[in-house]
Amino acid sequence: MDNKDIIKCGLLGYPVEHSLSPKMHNASFKKLNLSYHYSLYAVELKSLDSFIKFLAKYNIKGLNVTVPYKEKILPYIEEKSEAVKKIGAANTLVIRDFKIKGFNTDFLGFSKHLKELIDPYKLKVALLGAGGAAKAVVYSLLKDKVKAISIFDIDRKKAEDLVKKAKEWAVGLEINPEINQVETIEALDISKKGLLINATPVGLKQSDLLIVPENLLHRGLAVYDLIYNPAETKLLAAAKGKGLKFSNGLGMLIYQGAESFLHFTGVKLKVSDVAAIMKEALAEEVN
Ligand code: NAP
C-alpha cells in the first residue's frame, strides 16, 4: 500500500514522548488490518494554530489530545459531544465531513474501568484532586449515580469550581447526590466512604509520600489511583497491605483509548474487544 493511503492519527500534546498510546493504537490497527498509523505530535503552544489548520493537508483524521491542550483545543472544535460541552475538555478529535468533531473519552474510560473494581451506584466517594482528570472522574461518578462526593485539592479554588460544576451536572439526576469541598484530607471523612480516588500527581515520583494517613484506609474501602506508572503507588501498596480492593489507572487509559479508536476508525466492535487488544499490547510495559 502507498504511504499516502495510510490514514494518520496521533496524540497532540506537549510533551508527549512517554505516551503509551502509539503502542496501543498501532497494535489494534495491525490486528484489525486497518491502514492507519498513530504518531506522536509534540506541538508547542505557538504552533497549535497552524498545526490544526493543516490537519487535512497532513491527512490526519483523528487525534487524542493531552496536557496542556484538553481545554485550549475547544475553540477549534466545530461539533462538540454533550460530555465535551459539559466537562469543558476534549481528549479526542475526529476530522470528518470537513469538520472537527470533539469527544471526551476520559470519563467513559474511567467509568468502564471503575466498574471492574466496584459498583458506583449509591456509593459515597472521597476524591483527591480537582484538576483536569478529576473533572472527568466527577462527571462519570455522577452519571453512574453515586450518593456523595467529597473533594479535596490543595488548590482550594479548583475544588470550589469543580463542586460548582458538579452541582450543575447533577441537576435532573434521579438521585440527588451530596457534593462538597473540604479543607483537609481528614475532613474527607474517609471512614464513611466506600471509595477513595487519587486524581492528583502525588505518587508519580518515588520520593512522594503516602497521600493519606494509612490509618484512614478502613476495611470496606476500595482505592482507585489514576496513576498507572508506577503500577503500584504508595497509596495502592498501603491498600494492598490492608487487604482492600484497589486499582491503578491503566485500565482507564486503555478504555479511553479503545473508545477513541472506535471514533477514529468507525469499526463496529465492542469497546471491550478493542480494550483487550490494547491490554495485550501493553502487557509488561508498565513496571
Ligand atoms: P492536574 O490538572 O495538574 O490536577 C491535579 C490536581 O491535584 C491539581 O489541582 C493539584 O493542585 C492537585 N494536587 C497536587 N498535590 C495535591 C495534594 N497533595 N493533595 C491534594 N491535591 C493535590 O493533573 P491531571 O491532568 O488532572 O492529572 C492528575 C493525575 O491523574 C496525574 O497523575 C495523571 O497522570 C493522572 N491521569 C491518569 C489518566 C489515566 O488514563 N489513567 C488520565 C489522566 C490523568 P496544584 O495544581 O496546586 O498542584
Side-chain angles (χ1 to χ4, degrees):
M1 180 174 316
D2 205 323
N3 243 1
K4 70 176 172 25
D5 296 327
I6 294 180
I7 298 174
K8 292 182 198 153
C9 295
L11 176 67
L12 164 67
Y14 196 83
V16 288
E17 54 277 5
H18 301 295
S19 169
L20 299 175
S21 293
K23 200 160 191 173
M24 295 188 329
H25 285 274
N26 286 327
S28 310
F29 295 143
K30 196 168 168 199
K31 181 108 183 180
L32 299 169
N33 242 330
L34 298 169
S35 49
Y36 281 68
H37 187 75
Y38 193 101
S39 310
L40 294 174
Y41 300 107
V43 176
E44 286 185 66
L45 184 56
K46 61 176 169 24
S47 312
L48 182 65
D49 218 41
S50 55
F51 178 77
I52 299 292
K53 238 181 238 155
F54 286 107
L55 286 177
K57 187 178 160 202
Y58 298 141
N59 200 23
I60 297 173
K61 293 285 164 62
L63 282 176
N64 283 128
V65 182
T66 188
V67 178
Y69 297 132
K70 287 187 187 184
E71 290 167 357
K72 291 192 177 76
I73 203 72
L74 294 184
Y76 298 97
I77 300 177
E78 289 148 298
E79 211 175 286
K80 299 184 180 92
S81 71
E82 189 203 338
V84 170
K85 284 186 205 153
K86 291 225 163 122
I87 299 171
N91 77 318
T92 304
L93 304 185
V94 175
I95 297 86
R96 197 172 291 139
D97 309 328
F98 306 101
K99 267 194 191 142
I100 300 183
K101 304 185 181 192
F103 304 90
N104 187 307
T105 70
D106 281 333
F107 96 86
L108 288 169
F110 175 76
S111 173
K112 271 236 164 341
H113 191 224
L114 179 67
K115 287 175 192 142
E116 292 180 4
L117 181 74
I118 193 165
D119 179 2
Y121 184 65
K122 290 200 172 169
L123 200 62
K124 291 184 174 178
V125 183
L127 173 63
L128 298 160
K135 280 189 206 162
V137 164
V138 170
Y139 187 74
S140 150
L141 291 172
L142 292 172
K143 283 223 160 235
D144 290 332
K145 304 189 176 73
V146 295
K147 191 168 186 178
I149 310 174
S150 298
I151 305 172
F152 170 69
D153 192 294
I154 43 171
D155 185 333
R156 183 187 172 166
K157 172 82 172 55
K158 272 197 205 163
E160 275 172 11
D161 289 349
L162 181 52
V163 167
K164 206 168 144 212
K165 265 189 174 234
K167 286 187 173 164
E168 288 166 16
W169 297 337
V171 172
L173 289 179
E174 87 193 33
I175 61 173
N176 187 18
E178 273 172 50
I179 309 162
N180 68 327
Q181 175 250 341
V182 300
E183 303 290 325
T184 62
I185 285 193
E186 284 68 24
L188 281 171
D189 236 351
I190 294 173
S191 65
K192 298 203 182 88
K193 303 293 197 292
L195 174 65
L196 171 67
I197 300 170
N198 179 33
T200 78
V202 180
L204 280 174
K205 291 193 287 239
Q206 200 68 44
S207 55
D208 285 340
L209 299 175
L210 178 59
I211 189 166
V212 296
E214 198 163 343
N215 66 330
L216 295 182
L217 304 179
H218 61 89
R219 257 182 347 134
L221 183 74
V223 180
Y224 191 101
D225 199 328
L226 267 71
I227 294 172
Y228 52 83
N229 197 3
E232 194 175 289
T233 57
K234 289 198 174 96
L235 176 63
L236 294 186
K240 186 180 179 181
K242 291 207 164 195
L244 310 185
K245 288 203 275 188
F246 66 94
S247 176
N248 67 26
L250 186 62
M252 172 179 174
L253 176 85
I254 291 173
Y255 277 121
Q256 67 73 30
E259 295 278 1
S260 295
F261 183 92
L262 297 180
H263 282 301
F264 296 155
T265 60
V267 296
K268 301 269 177 277
L269 269 185
K270 284 202 282 193
V271 70
S272 52
D273 293 338
V274 181
I277 300 169
M278 292 183 164
K279 198 169 173 183
E280 201 181 309
L282 293 185
E284 295 180 17
E285 187 72 30
V286 177
N287 62 25

